[in-house]
Amino acid sequence: MSDLPDILTLTEVGDHKYHVFQPSESAEGRDVVFSGQLLGQMMMASDKVAGSSKDIRSVHAIFARAGTYTKPIELTVDSMQAGRTWASDTVTAMQDKLLCRAMILMNVVDDDLMRHEPAMPDVPGPGDLAGSAGQAFPGSELRAIPGEPEGPGGVPIERRWHRFGTALDSQAAGQAILTWATCGQIIGLGMRPHRDTVNIHDAHVSISTGVIGHTIHFLERFDVSQWLLIEEEATKAATGRVFGTGRVFTEDGTLVAMFHQDSMAKSAAVALDPKRSM
């Protein structure tokens, strides 16, 4: 088992206040803090205040402003409630101004009263696939499943296997690492049916894009160092927005997480600075 990756370490600067670790290289090659990084760090702050006594059950976050890697980011954790079974926090990220606020729900894991879940999609296993590129926590491996599957109405779907290179003691850290991989694909996936007129390479140049809201629910414990199947769809693209959803399964078919995202994808009124613009 391993110590925490640097990106998930926090420096305490006051009562329930923490500075995050800022990596030397950005996740997207731009001076805009990646949503998946900030979400994971906010989750770790909530876990730290709780003393890792409960598992994170869900995270609901709104990204109000883009952050920069050149200044410190401070997280403040405010407890809404803390009991024997459930606890809830709001976590606020500040950098001169408010960047993001998340509500985080935590719980202890109880025995089953009943159990059912959907079947995992029938896809090739990770051993049958080659490594692939994609947005993932540093040190993770991705193996994309070939093809361009669609749901009803031609909704684009994408599937890929994911695992982190090292086993971790912290369940919250594993959840944070998985969350990173759920944040970066839905906007581009939403453009896939429109590739004749819209190109992801125009993002932050002539198209303004960015994650505005992201929610993830953790339904069972999992080991992020084992293969996880991430399936996501860009459910609706309209009105300058993309709404998408996703599911995460273990290799043996257990549903361990679900997520959904609201994002922006619209024509820019003026030329954008690709290093800093949404």
Side-chain angles (χ1 to χ4, degrees):
M1 304 296 266
S2 172
D3 294 333
L4 287 179
D6 287 343
I7 296 176
L8 298 181
T9 60
L10 303 171
T11 302
E12 189 167 358
V13 295
D15 186 28
H16 295 181
K17 294 181 180 291
Y18 305 94
H19 280 177
V20 308
F21 179 90
Q22 291 279 44
S24 58
E25 296 183 4
S26 76
E28 300 176 297
R30 309 187 311 121
D31 185 25
V32 175
V33 176
F34 179 58
S35 58
Q37 173 193 320
L38 197 51
L39 269 176
Q41 291 167 331
M42 297 171 88
M43 292 162 63
M44 296 307 297
S46 191
D47 179 70
K48 191 174 184 71
V49 168
S52 301
S53 61
K54 296 178 175 68
D55 286 7
I56 295 173
R57 178 69 182 183
S58 63
V59 183
H60 314 267
I62 300 292
F63 297 91
R65 295 179 179 86
T68 172
Y69 289 99
T70 63
K71 297 179 181 179
I73 295 175
E74 184 171 293
L75 306 181
T76 301
V77 181
D78 293 304
S79 175
M80 297 169 64
Q81 182 269 344
R84 289 190 297 270
T85 302
W86 298 94
S88 51
D89 295 331
T90 60
V91 184
T92 303
M94 299 286 297
Q95 191 180 66
D96 299 330
K97 297 180 179 180
L98 191 151
L99 300 183
C100 175
R101 181 165 288 151
M103 292 191 298
I104 298 180
L105 178 67
M106 295 169 284
N107 71 170
V108 298
V109 178
D110 286 319
D111 294 334
D112 287 347
L113 173 64
M114 50 193 154
R115 174 174 284 266
H116 70 262
E117 61 188 326
M120 184 176 75
D122 184 10
V123 299
D128 300 323
L129 302 168
S132 58
Q135 189 57 261
F137 192 94
S140 299
E141 182 181 1
L142 296 175
R143 296 188 181 182
I145 295 168
E148 295 189 351
E150 296 179 348
V155 168
I157 295 172
E158 182 177 273
R159 301 181 180 110
R160 63 196 185 280
W161 291 99
H162 169 286
R163 70 176 174 185
F164 185 60
T166 313
L168 299 170
D169 286 315
S170 167
Q171 184 66 198
Q175 292 172 326
I177 288 168
L178 174 62
T179 297
W180 183 302
T182 69
C183 287
Q185 300 293 119
I186 286 175
I187 295 174
L189 182 60
M191 295 178 181
R192 195 178 79 190
H194 312 280
R195 55 167 59 104
D196 289 345
T197 56
V198 182
N199 191 325
I200 189 63
H201 297 296
D202 292 328
H204 320 301
V205 179
S206 60
I207 300 174
S208 186
T209 67
V211 175
I212 307 301
H214 196 86
T215 293
I216 186 164
H217 303 270
F218 298 105
L219 310 177
E220 296 239 22
R221 284 190 154 211
F222 58 88
D223 180 352
V224 77
S225 70
Q226 301 299 309
W227 287 112
L228 298 169
L229 176 69
I230 302 174
E231 176 189 68
E232 50 198 326
E233 67 170 47
T235 312
K236 173 85 173 184
T239 68
R241 309 290 181 261
V242 179
F243 173 79
T245 64
R247 305 183 296 174
V248 184
F249 295 86
T250 61
E251 196 171 1
D252 67 2
T254 301
L255 179 66
V256 294
M258 296 187 69
F259 58 95
H260 56 266
Q261 183 183 100
D262 263 311
S263 53
M264 176 177 64
K266 65 177 184 177
S267 295
V270 297
L272 302 176
D273 174 5
K275 291 294 184 183
R276 279 292 302 153
S277 297
M278 292 281 284

